[in-house]
Amino acid sequence: MAEENVTLVTEFVLTGLTDQPGLQVPLFLVFLIIYLITMVGNLGLIALIWKDPHLHTPMYFFLSSLALADACTSSSVTPNMLINFLSKNHKISLAECLTQFYCFGSSATTECFLLSVMAYDRYVAICNPLLYPVVMSNNLCAQLIGASYFVGFLHLTIHVSLLVRLTFCRSNVIHYFYCEILQLFKISCTDPTVNILVILIFSAFMQAFTFVTIMVSYARVLFAILKKKSEKGRRKAFSTCSAHLFSVSLFYGTLFLIYVGPGSGPDENKEKMLSLFYTIIIPLLNPFIYSLRNKEVIGALIRIIKK
């Protein structure tokens, strides 16, 4: 009988952001608008970069890959959350839960490495401008983008493979708005210590490696900018890098608080807000952070509109 109870839980119930009925429709409308703007912003940026020959440079190829990762991150979480706002049935099967976690996690991991690649690209462009066309060749750009996505998929394959060994019999209620891995550990009947250790080791290593790469690259960039004699050149370089650094700060700040220090992290409601910011708000902001102060992107948009 005990073994039968262990195998009974094959679907979960997502409690969502709130259980207050009066907030469901307003929240649905708010997040529907956010999702539509996110998709238009990221997919529009991708289309603009591929359409305009002036943007066929390594920096914009990396930016289009980042926009794709952001679109995937948002799409892995938001549509199901929107459905749950209007539906009384908040159930999700184990297979759907693992798929959602895989899609979200692989996109997030890919974004970590793309941000570090973009930092390296800015380092080469500003510190070694004469060697830039040789170093950042189209072949190397494709390899760096492919490697970022490959590591993202491989990383999540490891975690999902370890998740499959867990059984769930205590409860099928996940007090979250998506299938978040730490929430699954809380309702597991199997000891998740191995899973938690793997999460901590991989997350700490990858975040440390990519974050250090970014910080070292931008430190070198900052020194190079300060050495520039041209005021216009300094302003242009600083404008580009400040957008990158702002995006990096948002991304790594929330990521660190959620996954590197779960034992000493925020309470449940604050953790939900951090996850909301990380999964939905950052993909919304990124295309605008990188575009609004970028004269090349604005110029390309004006050229497309005039055609």
Side-chain angles (χ1 to χ4, degrees):
M1 185 66 182
E3 184 65 30
E4 183 180 345
N5 287 338
V6 168
T7 58
L8 280 178
V9 178
T10 57
E11 61 182 15
F12 304 101
V13 176
L14 297 171
T15 59
L17 289 177
T18 179
D19 56 0
Q20 297 183 31
L23 293 177
Q24 301 301 317
V25 172
L27 286 174
F28 169 81
L29 294 174
V30 168
F31 285 104
L32 176 62
I33 292 170
I34 288 174
Y35 181 62
L36 292 176
I37 295 173
T38 300
M39 298 310 290
V40 169
N42 283 291
L43 298 182
L45 183 59
I46 293 171
L48 182 65
I49 289 170
W50 286 99
K51 183 75 174 175
D52 194 295
H54 296 88
L55 300 181
H56 290 182
T57 63
M59 183 179 84
Y60 292 108
F61 286 144
F62 295 138
L63 184 54
S64 65
S65 298
L66 182 69
L68 178 60
D70 277 332
C72 292
T73 298
S74 184
S75 295
S76 65
V77 174
T78 311
N80 188 68
M81 185 175 71
L82 290 174
I83 293 170
N84 286 343
F85 279 135
L86 301 182
S87 172
K88 294 182 179 180
N89 180 13
H90 294 180
K91 292 181 180 179
I92 184 170
S93 70
L94 177 59
E96 290 171 337
C97 190
L98 294 179
T99 301
Q100 184 186 55
F101 170 66
Y102 182 87
C103 293
F104 162 73
S106 58
S107 300
T109 304
T110 298
E111 188 161 345
C112 277
F113 285 91
L114 284 175
L115 288 171
S116 63
V117 167
M118 291 171 72
Y120 175 71
D121 172 72
R122 290 300 82 202
Y123 159 71
V124 177
I126 294 172
C127 297
N128 299 287
L130 297 178
L131 293 176
Y132 182 70
V134 177
V135 175
M136 300 303 294
S137 63
N138 289 337
N139 188 40
L140 179 61
C141 291
Q143 289 176 358
L144 290 172
I145 292 170
S148 298
Y149 276 93
F150 176 76
V151 171
F153 294 138
L154 180 62
H155 178 219
L156 264 293
T157 300
I158 293 169
H159 290 307
V160 171
S161 299
L162 289 172
L163 269 177
V164 171
R165 76 182 186 88
L166 301 182
T167 52
F168 304 93
C169 60
R170 295 175 185 168
S171 171
N172 70 335
V173 178
I174 299 176
H175 296 282
Y176 231 64
F177 57 95
Y178 71 99
C179 284
E180 203 272 335
I181 191 168
L182 300 180
Q183 304 302 317
L184 290 174
F185 293 160
K186 293 178 182 179
I187 60 174
S188 170
C189 296
T190 311
D191 183 6
T193 302
V194 173
N195 300 66
I196 293 172
L197 284 174
V198 171
I199 283 278
L200 289 174
I201 292 169
F202 273 73
S203 297
F205 173 77
M206 281 195 277
Q207 287 189 49
F209 173 77
T210 54
F211 187 74
V212 168
T213 301
I214 290 168
M215 289 299 101
V216 170
S217 296
Y218 282 124
R220 299 286 296 273
V221 165
L222 180 60
F223 286 124
I225 290 174
L226 294 175
K227 290 178 181 178
K228 283 182 178 289
K229 295 180 180 179
S230 167
E231 180 66 27
K232 183 179 179 182
R234 278 202 303 267
R235 192 162 51 246
K236 181 180 179 182
F238 185 76
S239 176
T240 302
C241 293
S242 62
H244 289 198
L245 283 171
F246 183 61
S247 178
V248 166
S249 301
L250 292 177
F251 183 81
Y252 278 90
T254 51
L255 196 67
F256 182 87
L257 288 173
I258 295 171
Y259 291 106
V260 173
S264 58
D267 61 38
E268 186 175 296
N269 289 329
K270 286 183 180 178
E271 190 175 329
K272 275 187 183 180
M273 292 302 104
L274 284 171
S275 290
L276 191 68
F277 190 79
Y278 172 59
T279 56
I280 295 173
I281 304 302
I282 289 178
L284 166 71
L285 295 177
N286 270 346
F288 301 102
I289 290 172
Y290 286 106
S291 302
L292 289 179
R293 295 180 62 190
N294 189 313
K295 292 181 181 179
E296 292 176 334
V297 172
I298 294 173
L301 183 61
I302 292 172
R303 285 192 294 273
I304 293 294
I305 293 172
K306 285 183 177 179
K307 284 184 178 179

